Amino acid sequence: MNETTLSNDERRCLQMWFRQAIAKLELEEVTDVMLKEYPVEADAQGAHRTTTSRRRVSRSRLTSHLKELIV
């Protein structure tokens, strides 16, 4: 079998590709472990969206409202 030598650019490209592949695999493994230890609760996700938020009253509306109360 003939061995072909790789250029420095090809070698760096392969190193970066392998590093990226290993990092992606490690991320998937960690995600699986975390999901097994801390399963996602269906109620917790929906509850966050159903909470009502309070609107902040602008200063102009606040001052006009106070003027009406004073008069």
Side-chain angles (χ1 to χ4, degrees):
M1 214 161 99
N2 294 338
E3 288 189 32
T4 57
T5 58
L6 297 174
S7 69
N8 287 337
D9 287 339
E10 291 171 330
R11 187 172 287 129
R12 278 194 302 264
C13 182
L14 281 173
Q15 286 175 345
M16 288 188 292
W17 184 85
F18 278 112
R19 286 178 185 156
Q20 184 179 10
I22 291 169
K24 183 178 179 183
L25 181 64
E26 288 176 346
L27 180 64
E28 290 172 358
E29 289 175 351
V30 169
T31 302
D32 290 340
V33 169
M34 292 296 290
L35 287 174
K36 287 178 185 175
E37 288 184 20
Y38 307 102
V40 178
E41 298 176 5
D43 295 335
Q45 288 180 347
H48 180 68
R49 293 188 179 110
T50 57
T51 57
T52 58
S53 61
R54 303 180 106 195
R55 296 182 117 191
R56 183 177 167 182
V57 178
S58 65
R59 288 183 179 246
S60 63
R61 294 182 75 194
L62 181 64
T63 55
S64 64
H65 180 67
L66 289 175
K67 288 179 183 177
E68 289 177 11
L69 290 176
I70 295 173
V71 174

PDB file of all heavy atoms in Angstrom, residues 15-36:
ATOM      1  N   GLN A  15      -7.321  17.648  11.850  1.00  0.00           N
ATOM      2  CA  GLN A  15      -7.306  17.825  13.305  1.00  0.00           C
ATOM      3  C   GLN A  15      -8.521  18.620  13.760  1.00  0.00           C
ATOM      4  O   GLN A  15      -9.189  18.263  14.738  1.00  0.00           O
ATOM      5  CB  GLN A  15      -6.028  18.533  13.743  1.00  0.00           C
ATOM      6  CG  GLN A  15      -4.800  17.667  13.702  1.00  0.00           C
ATOM      7  CD  GLN A  15      -3.540  18.451  14.034  1.00  0.00           C
ATOM      8  OE1 GLN A  15      -3.529  19.689  14.031  1.00  0.00           O
ATOM      9  NE2 GLN A  15      -2.454  17.730  14.303  1.00  0.00           N
ATOM     10  N   MET A  16      -8.835  19.697  13.043  1.00  0.00           N
ATOM     11  CA  MET A  16      -9.995  20.510  13.412  1.00  0.00           C
ATOM     12  C   MET A  16     -11.287  19.714  13.229  1.00  0.00           C
ATOM     13  O   MET A  16     -12.200  19.814  14.042  1.00  0.00           O
ATOM     14  CB  MET A  16     -10.037  21.801  12.595  1.00  0.00           C
ATOM     15  CG  MET A  16      -8.980  22.798  13.002  1.00  0.00           C
ATOM     16  SD  MET A  16      -9.150  24.399  12.206  1.00  0.00           S
ATOM     17  CE  MET A  16      -8.780  23.995  10.510  1.00  0.00           C
ATOM     18  N   TRP A  17     -11.372  18.922  12.170  1.00  0.00           N
ATOM     19  CA  TRP A  17     -12.566  18.132  11.924  1.00  0.00           C
ATOM     20  C   TRP A  17     -12.770  17.119  13.032  1.00  0.00           C
ATOM     21  O   TRP A  17     -13.874  16.950  13.541  1.00  0.00           O
ATOM     22  CB  TRP A  17     -12.457  17.430  10.567  1.00  0.00           C
ATOM     23  CG  TRP A  17     -13.698  16.685  10.208  1.00  0.00           C
ATOM     24  CD1 TRP A  17     -14.806  17.189   9.607  1.00  0.00           C
ATOM     25  CD2 TRP A  17     -13.958  15.296  10.447  1.00  0.00           C
ATOM     26  NE1 TRP A  17     -15.745  16.194   9.454  1.00  0.00           N
ATOM     27  CE2 TRP A  17     -15.243  15.018   9.961  1.00  0.00           C
ATOM     28  CE3 TRP A  17     -13.226  14.264  11.021  1.00  0.00           C
ATOM     29  CZ2 TRP A  17     -15.819  13.762  10.038  1.00  0.00           C
ATOM     30  CZ3 TRP A  17     -13.799  13.003  11.093  1.00  0.00           C
ATOM     31  CH2 TRP A  17     -15.085  12.777  10.600  1.00  0.00           C
ATOM     32  N   PHE A  18     -11.688  16.425  13.428  1.00  0.00           N
ATOM     33  CA  PHE A  18     -11.794  15.443  14.509  1.00  0.00           C
ATOM     34  C   PHE A  18     -12.143  16.110  15.833  1.00  0.00           C
ATOM     35  O   PHE A  18     -12.951  15.591  16.605  1.00  0.00           O
ATOM     36  CB  PHE A  18     -10.500  14.623  14.648  1.00  0.00           C
ATOM     37  CG  PHE A  18     -10.404  13.491  13.672  1.00  0.00           C
ATOM     38  CD1 PHE A  18      -9.454  13.514  12.665  1.00  0.00           C
ATOM     39  CD2 PHE A  18     -11.263  12.408  13.748  1.00  0.00           C
ATOM     40  CE1 PHE A  18      -9.362  12.459  11.756  1.00  0.00           C
ATOM     41  CE2 PHE A  18     -11.174  11.356  12.848  1.00  0.00           C
ATOM     42  CZ  PHE A  18     -10.225  11.386  11.845  1.00  0.00           C
ATOM     43  N   ARG A  19     -11.549  17.254  16.112  1.00  0.00           N
ATOM     44  CA  ARG A  19     -11.877  17.970  17.354  1.00  0.00           C
ATOM     45  C   ARG A  19     -13.348  18.365  17.383  1.00  0.00           C
ATOM     46  O   ARG A  19     -14.015  18.252  18.408  1.00  0.00           O
ATOM     47  CB  ARG A  19     -11.003  19.215  17.503  1.00  0.00           C
ATOM     48  CG  ARG A  19      -9.589  18.903  17.878  1.00  0.00           C
ATOM     49  CD  ARG A  19      -8.758  20.153  17.975  1.00  0.00           C
ATOM     50  NE  ARG A  19      -7.361  19.822  18.222  1.00  0.00           N
ATOM     51  CZ  ARG A  19      -6.351  20.607  17.920  1.00  0.00           C
ATOM     52  NH1 ARG A  19      -6.566  21.782  17.364  1.00  0.00           N
ATOM     53  NH2 ARG A  19      -5.118  20.233  18.182  1.00  0.00           N
ATOM     54  N   GLN A  20     -13.850  18.834  16.242  1.00  0.00           N
ATOM     55  CA  GLN A  20     -15.258  19.226  16.167  1.00  0.00           C
ATOM     56  C   GLN A  20     -16.167  18.009  16.348  1.00  0.00           C
ATOM     57  O   GLN A  20     -17.175  18.073  17.054  1.00  0.00           O
ATOM     58  CB  GLN A  20     -15.538  19.902  14.834  1.00  0.00           C
ATOM     59  CG  GLN A  20     -16.951  20.427  14.687  1.00  0.00           C
ATOM     60  CD  GLN A  20     -17.155  21.112  13.352  1.00  0.00           C
ATOM     61  OE1 GLN A  20     -16.331  21.060  12.463  1.00  0.00           O
ATOM     62  NE2 GLN A  20     -18.302  21.757  13.210  1.00  0.00           N
ATOM     63  N   ALA A  21     -15.804  16.887  15.731  1.00  0.00           N
ATOM     64  CA  ALA A  21     -16.606  15.668  15.857  1.00  0.00           C
ATOM     65  C   ALA A  21     -16.608  15.168  17.297  1.00  0.00           C
ATOM     66  O   ALA A  21     -17.653  14.758  17.825  1.00  0.00           O
ATOM     67  CB  ALA A  21     -16.079  14.596  14.911  1.00  0.00           C
ATOM     68  N   ILE A  22     -15.447  15.201  17.958  1.00  0.00           N
ATOM     69  CA  ILE A  22     -15.362  14.757  19.351  1.00  0.00           C
ATOM     70  C   ILE A  22     -16.166  15.684  20.261  1.00  0.00           C
ATOM     71  O   ILE A  22     -16.890  15.219  21.150  1.00  0.00           O
ATOM     72  CB  ILE A  22     -13.884  14.675  19.787  1.00  0.00           C
ATOM     73  CG1 ILE A  22     -13.189  13.525  19.053  1.00  0.00           C
ATOM     74  CG2 ILE A  22     -13.760  14.509  21.300  1.00  0.00           C
ATOM     75  CD1 ILE A  22     -11.683  13.520  19.206  1.00  0.00           C
ATOM     76  N   ALA A  23     -16.073  16.993  20.032  1.00  0.00           N
ATOM     77  CA  ALA A  23     -16.822  17.946  20.854  1.00  0.00           C
ATOM     78  C   ALA A  23     -18.321  17.740  20.696  1.00  0.00           C
ATOM     79  O   ALA A  23     -19.078  17.796  21.674  1.00  0.00           O
ATOM     80  CB  ALA A  23     -16.438  19.375  20.480  1.00  0.00           C
ATOM     81  N   LYS A  24     -18.769  17.480  19.476  1.00  0.00           N
ATOM     82  CA  LYS A  24     -20.196  17.252  19.234  1.00  0.00           C
ATOM     83  C   LYS A  24     -20.659  15.976  19.935  1.00  0.00           C
ATOM     84  O   LYS A  24     -21.732  15.959  20.557  1.00  0.00           O
ATOM     85  CB  LYS A  24     -20.463  17.153  17.732  1.00  0.00           C
ATOM     86  CG  LYS A  24     -21.911  16.989  17.378  1.00  0.00           C
ATOM     87  CD  LYS A  24     -22.111  16.954  15.880  1.00  0.00           C
ATOM     88  CE  LYS A  24     -23.582  16.751  15.560  1.00  0.00           C
ATOM     89  NZ  LYS A  24     -23.806  16.633  14.112  1.00  0.00           N
ATOM     90  N   LEU A  25     -19.860  14.925  19.857  1.00  0.00           N
ATOM     91  CA  LEU A  25     -20.193  13.668  20.521  1.00  0.00           C
ATOM     92  C   LEU A  25     -20.246  13.845  22.037  1.00  0.00           C
ATOM     93  O   LEU A  25     -21.173  13.357  22.694  1.00  0.00           O
ATOM     94  CB  LEU A  25     -19.173  12.594  20.147  1.00  0.00           C
ATOM     95  CG  LEU A  25     -19.392  11.219  20.749  1.00  0.00           C
ATOM     96  CD1 LEU A  25     -20.694  10.620  20.233  1.00  0.00           C
ATOM     97  CD2 LEU A  25     -18.219  10.313  20.427  1.00  0.00           C
ATOM     98  N   GLU A  26     -19.277  14.576  22.600  1.00  0.00           N
ATOM     99  CA  GLU A  26     -19.276  14.814  24.042  1.00  0.00           C
ATOM    100  C   GLU A  26     -20.506  15.617  24.473  1.00  0.00           C
ATOM    101  O   GLU A  26     -21.096  15.339  25.513  1.00  0.00           O
ATOM    102  CB  GLU A  26     -18.003  15.541  24.457  1.00  0.00           C
ATOM    103  CG  GLU A  26     -16.770  14.677  24.407  1.00  0.00           C
ATOM    104  CD  GLU A  26     -15.501  15.436  24.725  1.00  0.00           C
ATOM    105  OE1 GLU A  26     -15.520  16.684  24.729  1.00  0.00           O
ATOM    106  OE2 GLU A  26     -14.475  14.778  24.983  1.00  0.00           O
ATOM    107  N   LEU A  27     -20.886  16.592  23.671  1.00  0.00           N
ATOM    108  CA  LEU A  27     -22.076  17.390  23.985  1.00  0.00           C
ATOM    109  C   LEU A  27     -23.326  16.527  23.984  1.00  0.00           C
ATOM    110  O   LEU A  27     -24.181  16.644  24.879  1.00  0.00           O
ATOM    111  CB  LEU A  27     -22.217  18.537  22.987  1.00  0.00           C
ATOM    112  CG  LEU A  27     -23.410  19.459  23.175  1.00  0.00           C
ATOM    113  CD1 LEU A  27     -23.318  20.199  24.503  1.00  0.00           C
ATOM    114  CD2 LEU A  27     -23.498  20.449  22.031  1.00  0.00           C
ATOM    115  N   GLU A  28     -23.447  15.635  23.009  1.00  0.00           N
ATOM    116  CA  GLU A  28     -24.604  14.739  22.951  1.00  0.00           C
ATOM    117  C   GLU A  28     -24.629  13.799  24.150  1.00  0.00           C
ATOM    118  O   GLU A  28     -25.690  13.544  24.723  1.00  0.00           O
ATOM    119  CB  GLU A  28     -24.593  13.948  21.645  1.00  0.00           C
ATOM    120  CG  GLU A  28     -24.878  14.784  20.419  1.00  0.00           C
ATOM    121  CD  GLU A  28     -24.682  14.025  19.118  1.00  0.00           C
ATOM    122  OE1 GLU A  28     -24.277  12.836  19.166  1.00  0.00           O
ATOM    123  OE2 GLU A  28     -24.929  14.613  18.055  1.00  0.00           O
ATOM    124  N   GLU A  29     -23.456  13.295  24.537  1.00  0.00           N
ATOM    125  CA  GLU A  29     -23.387  12.401  25.693  1.00  0.00           C
ATOM    126  C   GLU A  29     -23.775  13.126  26.977  1.00  0.00           C
ATOM    127  O   GLU A  29     -24.530  12.594  27.797  1.00  0.00           O
ATOM    128  CB  GLU A  29     -21.985  11.811  25.825  1.00  0.00           C
ATOM    129  CG  GLU A  29     -21.646  10.805  24.757  1.00  0.00           C
ATOM    130  CD  GLU A  29     -20.201  10.321  24.846  1.00  0.00           C
ATOM    131  OE1 GLU A  29     -19.417  10.885  25.633  1.00  0.00           O
ATOM    132  OE2 GLU A  29     -19.873   9.362  24.127  1.00  0.00           O
ATOM    133  N   VAL A  30     -23.280  14.329  27.154  1.00  0.00           N
ATOM    134  CA  VAL A  30     -23.614  15.105  28.351  1.00  0.00           C
ATOM    135  C   VAL A  30     -25.098  15.437  28.374  1.00  0.00           C
ATOM    136  O   VAL A  30     -25.748  15.363  29.419  1.00  0.00           O
ATOM    137  CB  VAL A  30     -22.759  16.394  28.415  1.00  0.00           C
ATOM    138  CG1 VAL A  30     -23.270  17.338  29.477  1.00  0.00           C
ATOM    139  CG2 VAL A  30     -21.308  16.042  28.675  1.00  0.00           C
ATOM    140  N   THR A  31     -25.659  15.761  27.214  1.00  0.00           N
ATOM    141  CA  THR A  31     -27.088  16.064  27.138  1.00  0.00           C
ATOM    142  C   THR A  31     -27.916  14.848  27.540  1.00  0.00           C
ATOM    143  O   THR A  31     -28.884  14.973  28.299  1.00  0.00           O
ATOM    144  CB  THR A  31     -27.458  16.511  25.716  1.00  0.00           C
ATOM    145  OG1 THR A  31     -26.671  17.644  25.367  1.00  0.00           O
ATOM    146  CG2 THR A  31     -28.930  16.868  25.624  1.00  0.00           C
ATOM    147  N   ASP A  32     -27.537  13.678  27.065  1.00  0.00           N
ATOM    148  CA  ASP A  32     -28.257  12.450  27.433  1.00  0.00           C
ATOM    149  C   ASP A  32     -28.182  12.183  28.926  1.00  0.00           C
ATOM    150  O   ASP A  32     -29.185  11.838  29.555  1.00  0.00           O
ATOM    151  CB  ASP A  32     -27.700  11.255  26.657  1.00  0.00           C
ATOM    152  CG  ASP A  32     -28.045  11.304  25.180  1.00  0.00           C
ATOM    153  OD1 ASP A  32     -28.996  12.027  24.816  1.00  0.00           O
ATOM    154  OD2 ASP A  32     -27.357  10.617  24.399  1.00  0.00           O
ATOM    155  N   VAL A  33     -26.994  12.348  29.505  1.00  0.00           N
ATOM    156  CA  VAL A  33     -26.831  12.118  30.948  1.00  0.00           C
ATOM    157  C   VAL A  33     -27.675  13.106  31.742  1.00  0.00           C
ATOM    158  O   VAL A  33     -28.358  12.736  32.707  1.00  0.00           O
ATOM    159  CB  VAL A  33     -25.340  12.202  31.347  1.00  0.00           C
ATOM    160  CG1 VAL A  33     -25.179  12.232  32.854  1.00  0.00           C
ATOM    161  CG2 VAL A  33     -24.576  11.043  30.758  1.00  0.00           C
ATOM    162  N   MET A  34     -27.647  14.384  31.343  1.00  0.00           N
ATOM    163  CA  MET A  34     -28.417  15.405  32.063  1.00  0.00           C
ATOM    164  C   MET A  34     -29.918  15.134  31.971  1.00  0.00           C
ATOM    165  O   MET A  34     -30.650  15.315  32.937  1.00  0.00           O
ATOM    166  CB  MET A  34     -28.100  16.797  31.510  1.00  0.00           C
ATOM    167  CG  MET A  34     -26.689  17.267  31.800  1.00  0.00           C
ATOM    168  SD  MET A  34     -26.352  17.482  33.543  1.00  0.00           S
ATOM    169  CE  MET A  34     -27.342  18.897  33.894  1.00  0.00           C
ATOM    170  N   LEU A  35     -30.379  14.703  30.795  1.00  0.00           N
ATOM    171  CA  LEU A  35     -31.805  14.415  30.648  1.00  0.00           C
ATOM    172  C   LEU A  35     -32.222  13.201  31.471  1.00  0.00           C
ATOM    173  O   LEU A  35     -33.353  13.135  31.948  1.00  0.00           O
ATOM    174  CB  LEU A  35     -32.152  14.203  29.177  1.00  0.00           C
ATOM    175  CG  LEU A  35     -32.174  15.463  28.321  1.00  0.00           C
ATOM    176  CD1 LEU A  35     -32.384  15.112  26.855  1.00  0.00           C
ATOM    177  CD2 LEU A  35     -33.250  16.420  28.803  1.00  0.00           C
ATOM    178  N   LYS A  36     -31.316  12.238  31.643  1.00  0.00           N
ATOM    179  CA  LYS A  36     -31.639  11.086  32.479  1.00  0.00           C
ATOM    180  C   LYS A  36     -31.683  11.473  33.949  1.00  0.00           C
ATOM    181  O   LYS A  36     -32.548  11.017  34.695  1.00  0.00           O
ATOM    182  CB  LYS A  36     -30.618   9.970  32.259  1.00  0.00           C
ATOM    183  CG  LYS A  36     -30.778   9.272  30.941  1.00  0.00           C
ATOM    184  CD  LYS A  36     -29.719   8.218  30.732  1.00  0.00           C
ATOM    185  CE  LYS A  36     -29.826   7.611  29.345  1.00  0.00           C
ATOM    186  NZ  LYS A  36     -28.719   6.676  29.084  1.00  0.00           N
TER     187      LYS A  36
END
